[in-house]
Amino acid sequence: MVNFQAVLDNIADEVRPLTTQGKVADYIPMLARVPADKFGMAVATLDGGIYRVGDAEEHFSIQSISKVYTLTLALKAIGDALWERVGREPSGSAFNSLVQLESERGIPRNPLINAGAHVVADVLIGQGLDARAQLLDFVRRRSDDPSVGDDPEVAHSESLTGFRNRALANFLKSFGNLDHEVEAVLDFYFYQCSLTMSCADLARGFLFLANRGICPWTGEPVLTPSQAKRIGALMLTCGTYDAAGDFAYAVGIPAKSGVGGGIVGIIPNQLAVAVWSPALNAKGNSLAGTAALELFTTQTGMSVF
Ligand code: GLN
């Protein structure tokens, strides 16, 4: 039996010096204000354990981690029809790259890059419900934390400087791959990116993906086992963008990162683990967070390989 608390304590000591080596995302001005020396990590196990270290209960901007939640909701809503509008291949490009979208005629490579998430957002706002409320309620129930919220200042700040997202959404629209207006899609997209959660929330909130789609404490089937397997596969191949190969090599688990400095990973049938350190590496993934997850799989001997 692994002593998760001892592992987390040890990792926190080891990676703390790395927290100031990366660069906090500053293309979203509100994110640039977050202190680089924050560090938190949490593990939630399927048998009900929760382990924390550092700033594991502090809420931060989950940014692209939200793409896993919206993908989950879109698959629940329209199933495999989603794949007519978005692919399932790693992009090998930056998360906000415009290049492939033009040459591949408006079909984003996968749902975990920005353009793919815009298509997913378009699906969700087309379901005839209040998409924001539906997402927030879903995320709160997954993490079992009613204090999960959104940060309108972060969303507004991103919208003011969201030139690349606007360009991507306009490309999608020009190819007929958005049903709704560009600004309506971006409004929802910036909202989902502004959700604030803690490492403990994220670890609990991804357990359903480590549990064949079933929420461990309510028994609710959130996804079918097959859908949960497919989301795990997408996280492994696309969840850390053009670093996905390196990340799989170093860490060896499906994971999703965000430019807020969060990364959450799953080990099927065992646990979910989340880490937060705001300073990023050149690929836009948390530098110390990646190192912490590599230490976690190494020290516990747990991965998907
Ligand atoms: N909101 C961010 C953006 O669109 C999300 C990117 C990320 O977290 N990788 O640029």
Side-chain angles (χ1 to χ4, degrees):
M1 172 74 186
V2 177
N3 183 341
F4 288 112
Q5 192 58 54
V7 170
L8 292 187
D9 291 342
N10 181 41
I11 291 172
D13 287 344
E14 220 170 305
V15 303
R16 238 178 249 286
L18 297 178
T19 56
T20 48
Q21 282 189 16
K23 195 169 173 302
V24 177
D26 57 5
Y27 74 99
I28 301 173
M30 282 301 288
L31 290 186
R33 298 190 185 181
V34 180
D37 59 359
K38 294 280 181 188
F39 179 82
M41 193 164 181
V43 173
T45 58
L46 279 184
D47 56 15
I50 177 102
Y51 308 87
R52 311 169 179 84
V53 72
D55 304 309
E57 289 291 350
E58 189 165 327
H59 281 204
F60 59 92
S61 190
I62 69 167
Q63 292 296 318
S64 282
I65 295 172
S66 63
K67 289 169 181 162
V68 177
Y69 286 126
T70 54
L71 172 60
T72 299
L73 288 172
L75 282 178
K76 282 168 81 69
I78 65 166
D80 284 346
L82 179 66
W83 307 121
E84 289 160 22
R85 296 177 58 185
V86 58
R88 300 183 299 247
E89 288 294 343
S91 68
S93 306
F95 60 83
N96 55 7
S97 172
L98 291 149
V99 178
Q100 279 165 346
L101 202 55
E102 168 74 336
S103 61
E104 296 178 3
R105 307 201 57 78
I107 303 294
R109 275 285 175 103
N110 67 70
L112 301 182
I113 52 173
N114 288 16
H118 295 170
V119 172
V120 170
D122 188 57
V123 168
L124 294 184
I125 61 181
Q127 297 307 302
L129 302 163
D130 179 342
R132 286 180 175 220
Q134 187 204 16
L135 175 65
L136 185 60
D137 177 62
F138 181 73
V139 176
R140 284 177 172 168
R141 279 189 290 123
R142 294 290 67 77
S143 59
D144 200 24
D145 181 358
S147 79
V148 168
D150 64 297
D151 187 335
E153 279 191 305
V154 168
H156 182 64
S157 164
E158 178 162 18
S159 182
L160 290 179
T161 54
F163 308 112
R164 295 190 73 89
N165 277 312
R166 254 180 208 97
L168 288 166
N170 275 292
F171 265 105
L172 289 166
K173 187 78 181 166
S174 78
F175 283 112
N177 202 4
L178 288 185
D179 293 337
H180 300 88
E181 292 309 319
V182 162
E183 284 307 319
V185 172
L186 290 177
D187 180 67
F188 179 74
Y189 174 75
F190 295 143
Y191 171 81
Q192 72 175 73
C193 290
S194 83
L195 292 182
T196 62
M197 299 172 74
S198 68
C199 290
D201 289 334
L202 283 169
R204 268 194 308 271
F206 270 62
L207 267 186
F208 74 101
L209 290 169
N211 194 36
R212 286 178 238 121
I214 295 165
C215 176
W217 56 88
T218 63
E220 180 193 343
V222 180
L223 290 174
T224 67
S226 165
Q227 287 172 322
K229 177 183 77 176
R230 296 182 195 295
I231 290 186
L234 286 164
M235 288 168 64
L236 183 73
T237 53
C238 312
T240 46
Y241 314 116
D242 44 337
D246 248 359
F247 189 94
Y249 179 86
V251 181
I253 60 173
K256 184 73 204 83
S257 62
V259 291
I263 310 177
V264 55
I266 53 170
I267 303 184
N269 306 317
Q270 309 263 10
L271 57 80
V273 52
V275 62
W276 174 47
S277 169
L280 309 177
N281 62 23
K283 306 283 189 181
N285 299 314
S286 172
L287 190 148
T290 303
L293 290 172
E294 178 173 1
L295 286 171
F296 182 79
T297 54
T298 305
Q299 292 186 9
T300 60
M302 300 169 88
S303 79
V304 297
F305 299 108

